[in-house]
């Protein structure tokens, strides 16, 4: 876990749980504040929540603020506006101007505020206010009305929109300011920590490279090294987080023979050295086609790293047609690997796997571990 002691008295959640919490807060009409160290995937969770809410509202896609000028039918989309409060001034919440006819000073609403009089903005969406505690006290104070009253000056927010805020912890060593009590009391606060199981589920759902999933199961303590990075006051720029491992995924997808320096530049030298060594194991592990052709006779590896590699690779190849063969092989491994692989197969293919006779048999045998 990352900086768990910073809020040890609070209920902690994983990034995988955030999309549902964001949806629940949106339905309740309440603004949600997500606290957590850098790189955990707080923003990505908002995108996942927006995608889920878009589907539930029957919208075609999620539209970002930059998409607005191109939308011909805004009502067909779900909005997700990302505003970095650390880059804002109080005046960004509304530039004063003189109403000549009435002689009254008014405020121009910013382009990111989804007010009821904006026909160019979707009727449903999430207003994501990021880096809240990195903003100045004046900017945080300017956010009071928006976050609680869903208003900005004389403009009212569309009722189909919700607000999510994110920010790092005081112990993270970055630019962090104390949140004013009036703002804090206007929000529902959740505290997110690093979780290997949660990240693995997310990685499978988002088609992350199997070699990364296998490696971080083998070395779960390398998923997030931010706390150690801060504790040691390291002067290196790179350290491992869920976000930086996602960057490694992108590098591998772009070039399978990616240079080790790029991987080290994403996650730090130590994790990169171990990951590159694991990739050699991945390349030399038993042939997956050979295992599927002869699951009862194919060799079973003794090395722990190779076992993680083989099981993850098998799950990535799983179909309803070959799941029985996979079961025959993994049942020759220790139970921990058997259950892990069955869960992976079911998550990747869901109904295709869970409707097979082989899975029903596994559910009967390992049911208490699969729930």
């Amino acid at each position: 876990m990352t900086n768990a002691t910073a809020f040890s008295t609070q209920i902690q959640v994983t990034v995988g749980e955030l999309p549902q919490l964001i949806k629940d807060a949106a339905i309740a009409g309440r603004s949600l504040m997500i606290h957590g160290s850098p790189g955990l995937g707080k923003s990505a969770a908002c995108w996942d929540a927006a995608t889920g809410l878009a589907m539930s509202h029957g919208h075609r896609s999620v539209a970002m603020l930059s998409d607005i000028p191109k939308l011909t039918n805004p009502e067909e989309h779900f909005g997700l506006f990302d505003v970095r409060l650390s880059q804002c001034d109080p005046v960004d919440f509304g530039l004063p101007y003189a109403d000549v006819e009435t002689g009254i000073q008014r405020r121009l609403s910013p382009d990111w505020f989804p007010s009821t009089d904006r026909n160019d903005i979707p009727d449903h969406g999430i207003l994501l206010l990021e880096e809240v505690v990195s903003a100045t006290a004046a900017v945080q104070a300017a956010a009071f009305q928006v976050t609680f009253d869903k208003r900005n000056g004389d403009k009212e927010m569309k009722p189909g929109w919700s607000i999510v805020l994110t920010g790092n912890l005081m112990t993270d060593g970055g630019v962090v300011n104390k949140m004013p009590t009036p703002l804090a009391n206007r929000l529902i606060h959740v505290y997110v920590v690093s979780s290997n199981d949660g990240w693995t589920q997310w990685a499978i759902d988002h088609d992350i490279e199997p070699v990364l999933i296998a490696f971080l199961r083998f070395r779960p303590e390398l998923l997030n090294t931010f706390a150690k990075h801060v504790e040691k006051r390291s002067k290196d720029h790179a350290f491992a987080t869920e976000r930086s491992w996602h960057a490694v995924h992108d590098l591998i997808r772009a070039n399978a023979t990616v240079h080790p320096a790029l991987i080290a530049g994403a996650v730090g030298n130590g994790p990169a050295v171990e990951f590159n060594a694991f990739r050699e194991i991945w390349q030399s592990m038993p042939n997956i086609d050979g295992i599927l052709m002869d699951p009862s006779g194919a060799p079973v590896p003794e090395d722990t790293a190779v076992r993680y590699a083989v099981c993850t690779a098998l799950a990535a190849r799983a179909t309803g047609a070959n799941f029985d063969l996979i079961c025959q092989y993994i049942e020759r491994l220790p139970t921990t690997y058997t259950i892990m692989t069955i869960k992976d197969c079911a998550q990747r293919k869901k109904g295709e796997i869970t409707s097979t006779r082989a899975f029903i048999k596994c559910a009967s045998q390992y049911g208490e571990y699969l729930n």
Side-chain angles (χ1 to χ4, degrees), residues 60-264:
R60 203 165 56 180
S61 66
V62 176
M64 302 294 287
L65 179 60
S66 58
D67 298 330
I68 296 306
K70 313 171 206 170
L71 296 180
T72 53
N73 297 298
E75 69 279 359
E76 296 182 3
H77 303 270
F78 187 91
L80 177 60
F81 292 178
D82 182 333
V83 182
R84 306 291 167 128
L85 290 190
S86 62
Q87 300 173 18
C88 291
D89 289 317
V91 73
D92 291 326
F93 282 77
L95 186 67
Y97 74 97
D99 186 330
V100 179
E101 292 184 7
T102 62
I104 295 175
Q105 177 179 296
R106 301 188 185 277
R107 283 195 297 169
L108 290 172
S109 186
D111 61 344
W112 48 261
F113 186 73
S115 56
T116 53
D117 59 352
R118 294 281 299 276
N119 295 324
D120 59 329
I121 285 179
D123 293 331
H124 298 89
I126 293 174
L127 177 58
L128 175 58
L129 304 178
E130 298 219 66
E131 302 170 359
V132 177
V133 289
S134 298
T136 64
V139 170
Q140 291 188 47
F144 288 2
Q145 186 184 36
V146 171
T147 55
F148 188 71
D149 297 325
K150 307 291 178 67
R151 300 183 64 88
N152 189 40
D154 60 354
K155 302 289 185 180
E156 184 177 351
M157 189 162 68
K158 292 191 175 189
W161 279 72
S162 59
I163 296 176
V164 177
L165 306 91
T166 68
N168 296 333
L169 308 176
M170 294 293 290
T171 53
D172 286 338
V175 179
V176 179
N177 301 309
K178 187 178 184 299
M179 180 179 288
T181 303
L183 175 59
N185 194 237
R186 284 168 163 79
L187 308 173
I188 295 175
H189 301 265
V190 294
Y191 302 83
V192 62
V193 292
S194 181
S195 163
N196 197 274
D197 288 341
W199 181 85
T200 298
Q201 291 181 13
W202 175 88
I204 291 172
D205 287 340
H206 289 76
D207 193 30
I208 297 298
E209 285 288 325
V211 63
L212 269 174
I213 298 173
F215 171 67
L216 291 171
R217 274 185 165 142
F218 174 59
R219 294 284 279 129
E221 60 272 29
L222 295 182
L223 172 64
N224 195 305
T225 61
F226 177 71
K228 290 183 178 179
H229 179 81
V230 173
E231 182 183 343
K232 293 180 178 179
R233 298 183 180 181
S234 174
K235 295 183 180 179
D236 294 337
H237 294 98
F239 49 88
T241 64
E242 288 81 341
R243 178 169 57 201
S244 58
W245 283 115
H246 194 183
V248 173
H249 158 83
D250 291 337
L251 290 169
I252 295 172
R253 281 284 168 92
N255 180 5
T257 59
V258 59
H259 196 286
L262 289 176
I263 296 176

Side-chain angles (χ1 to χ4, degrees), residues 8-22:
S8 57
T9 61
Q10 301 289 340
I11 295 176
Q12 300 162 11
V13 301
T14 67
V15 175
E17 296 174 284
L18 282 182
Q20 186 59 53
L21 299 182
I22 293 169

Side-chain angles (χ1 to χ4, degrees), residues 214-359:
F215 171 67
L216 291 171
R217 274 185 165 142
F218 174 59
R219 294 284 279 129
E221 60 272 29
L222 295 182
L223 172 64
N224 195 305
T225 61
F226 177 71
K228 290 183 178 179
H229 179 81
V230 173
E231 182 183 343
K232 293 180 178 179
R233 298 183 180 181
S234 174
K235 295 183 180 179
D236 294 337
H237 294 98
F239 49 88
T241 64
E242 288 81 341
R243 178 169 57 201
S244 58
W245 283 115
H246 194 183
V248 173
H249 158 83
D250 291 337
L251 290 169
I252 295 172
R253 281 284 168 92
N255 180 5
T257 59
V258 59
H259 196 286
L262 289 176
I263 296 176
V267 297
N269 189 59
V273 169
E274 292 201 41
F275 175 63
N276 286 323
F278 187 87
R279 290 185 77 196
E280 294 182 11
I281 293 172
W282 183 267
Q283 298 297 331
S284 61
M285 69 179 172
N287 183 272
I288 300 302
D289 289 324
I291 291 174
L292 294 175
M293 288 177 63
D294 183 17
S296 299
V300 174
E302 295 293 330
D303 184 81
T304 301
V306 180
R307 284 178 174 176
Y308 276 111
V310 169
C311 290
T312 305
L314 281 170
R317 293 277 296 275
T319 65
N322 68 20
F323 183 64
D324 179 58
L325 300 173
I326 291 174
C327 285
Q328 290 180 44
Y329 181 79
I330 60 175
E331 286 183 339
R332 298 167 57 201
L333 289 163
T335 305
T336 301
Y337 299 94
T338 306
I339 294 168
M340 179 188 76
T341 310
I342 293 171
K343 283 184 175 180
D344 277 11
C345 292
Q347 186 178 347
R348 287 179 181 277
K349 296 293 184 177
K350 295 185 170 65
E352 182 181 344
I353 296 294
T354 55
S355 61
T356 63
R357 289 185 179 180
F359 183 83

